[in-house]
Amino acid sequence: MVRAEQFAGAAGPVAAAGRLSGTAANRLSGTADDRFSGTARGPRVAHIRAGRRYPRGTALAGSVTARRGVPPVAPRWVGPVLLGLGLAMIPWVVYLHTSLPATAEAPHWAWAWTGLDVLEALGLGATGLLLRRGDARASLTAMATSALLVVDAWFDTMTAAPGADLASAVVVALCAEIPLAAACTLLAWRGFPRMR
């Protein structure tokens, strides 16, 4: 009968045991043979031995992403809390839609629109500077600027008076604000650091 020791060679008897019995190699070795043993626990054991343990309760603990060594983004409870807050806003939106008056007079109307345009200009400028420097944080400013542009287009069209004002607001939204927002979103998507 051929024994496992005859196959040891330079890799050692544990590696030979891994070739003969993957399950036995998992129990005996802490080497990379775990990945080829055919068991689901191999990669997890390898990463835990490499020091990439994540505390129980974090968002990525026990997930494939955590096992690949990506640090957790937030504690596990943050996701359900944000989801609950989003769902809780639904009745609030319904209440606002039914209770707010159709028209209102705003004492700081000019400042409201000026402030929004200033934020858009700052976002575009910051994104351009960060892109020129090759800084990955351009993804953050691009996404924020995209959101501001969509908000601008929405409120431009929703607050415009019927007639020529509404037509010009729709043209500006379709020809300038929405395409620019889409371009910023694409920049943010392409430049966002991928989780390795």
Side-chain angles (χ1 to χ4, degrees):
M1 178 182 287
V2 178
R3 295 189 303 171
E5 287 81 4
Q6 295 174 350
F7 294 96
V14 175
R19 282 194 289 272
L20 295 176
S21 172
T23 306
N26 270 345
R27 296 195 197 99
L28 298 175
S29 72
T31 65
D33 284 343
D34 293 345
R35 291 193 293 272
F36 307 104
S37 63
T39 61
R41 62 188 289 270
R44 181 174 178 80
V45 171
H47 281 281
I48 288 175
R49 287 182 182 139
R52 294 190 179 120
R53 292 193 73 123
Y54 296 94
R56 194 178 291 274
T58 55
L60 298 179
S63 67
V64 174
T65 310
R67 292 197 296 270
R68 288 177 180 166
V70 178
V73 176
R76 193 172 211 160
W77 57 265
V78 173
V81 167
L82 292 178
L83 178 61
L85 290 173
L87 293 174
M89 286 192 67
I90 295 175
W92 173 249
V93 170
V94 173
Y95 167 75
L96 284 180
H97 187 73
T98 56
S99 62
L100 286 176
T103 60
E105 183 176 344
H108 304 293
W109 185 254
W111 279 109
W113 289 109
T114 304
L116 181 58
D117 287 343
V118 166
L119 289 175
E120 291 172 9
L122 289 174
L124 292 169
T127 303
L129 287 175
L130 290 171
L131 284 173
R132 186 174 181 182
R133 295 172 54 186
D135 196 323
R137 288 173 293 184
S139 297
L140 302 176
T141 57
M143 202 65 242
T145 306
S146 175
L148 289 172
L149 288 165
V150 171
V151 168
D152 195 354
W154 174 260
F155 282 101
D156 264 341
T157 54
M158 292 296 106
T159 59
D165 286 345
L166 180 58
S168 64
V170 169
V171 168
V172 171
L174 293 178
C175 296
E177 292 162 342
I178 297 301
L180 193 53
C184 287
T185 302
L186 181 61
L187 283 173
W189 175 260
R190 294 184 62 184
F192 194 79
R194 298 292 187 266
M195 292 188 292
R196 301 267 194 277

